[in-house]
Amino acid sequence: MTDTPPDRLSSNPRSPHFDEATLSRGIGIRFKGAERRDVEEYSISEGWIRVALGKKVDRHGQPLTLKLSGPVEAWFENPAPGADDAAEEDGAEA
């Protein structure tokens, strides 16, 4: 089983693509070959990211975002809970 992040993920709790458990592991994003730390939402299959537009907010107090298109790569920055235990058990059996 591969440990890959979801195809689409959002850091906004109002979004249907929000997943707190996945976000707690940390997600690394590479967009057009450069690592980005300011990504609000991404879609690997559709090839876009959303980033906040400075400190500007809409009339509801939500940050304004800009959708950028291009190649997107995502990875987990931290292993899954319990994955270290499974790796140690596999190493002990070998």
Side-chain angles (χ1 to χ4, degrees):
M1 182 174 129
T2 61
D3 192 26
T4 58
D7 177 62
R8 187 167 178 180
L9 186 64
S10 175
S11 62
N12 184 350
R14 297 172 127 186
S15 171
H17 302 288
F18 176 76
D19 184 5
E20 187 174 359
T22 303
L23 289 170
S24 67
R25 292 183 56 191
I27 300 287
I29 301 291
R30 184 174 293 119
F31 179 70
K32 292 187 177 179
E35 287 191 29
R36 302 283 303 243
R37 295 280 182 203
D38 59 346
V39 176
E40 300 281 330
E41 185 175 359
Y42 72 86
S43 175
I44 296 171
S45 63
E46 296 175 16
W48 56 263
I49 62 171
R50 284 198 182 273
V51 294
L53 191 58
K55 294 184 178 183
K56 296 183 180 189
V57 294
D58 65 7
R59 62 184 176 174
H60 302 289
Q62 300 297 313
L64 290 178
T65 59
L66 185 63
K67 187 175 184 179
L68 304 173
S69 297
V72 179
E73 298 174 46
W75 65 89
F76 284 115
E77 294 180 337
N78 301 316
D84 292 336
D85 299 335
E88 290 175 6
E89 291 173 7
D90 291 342
E93 293 173 8

